[in-house]
Amino acid sequence: MQNLEQLKKEAAAIMPALLEKVQQDPKLKAEFIADPQAVIRRETGHDLAPLEGFHWVVIDKSDPTALYLTIPTNYDNLELSE
């Protein structure tokens, strides 16, 4: 099992090329949103599994007219950010 730093390093190495493909292919984009781990494995050959107890969530921010709201995990320290 890898730790968070290893996961970040591996993701930084493989995700730019994959995200470029995802942006150019609507079908691949839909698959990536639905099951990111499967697409990562299939398209890159890497099993970029999240750490135990975590899961991937893909947020499509490609719509320049969309405004995004994030539900915070800690309501006691609520801050707005960009």
Side-chain angles (χ1 to χ4, degrees), residues 4-23:
L4 183 58
E5 290 307 312
Q6 291 169 322
L7 184 64
K8 286 181 181 179
K9 186 176 181 179
E10 187 175 357
I14 66 171
M15 292 307 290
L18 176 58
L19 292 175
E20 186 174 329
K21 287 175 70 173
V22 165
Q23 289 175 331

Side-chain angles (χ1 to χ4, degrees), residues 43-73:
E43 296 294 323
T44 70
H46 291 261
D47 187 15
L48 198 59
L51 303 174
E52 186 175 331
F54 291 87
H55 62 278
W56 295 114
V57 175
V58 176
I59 300 170
D60 179 6
K61 289 190 171 185
S62 62
D63 181 352
T65 65
L67 299 173
Y68 299 92
L69 299 173
T70 303
I71 300 170
T73 58

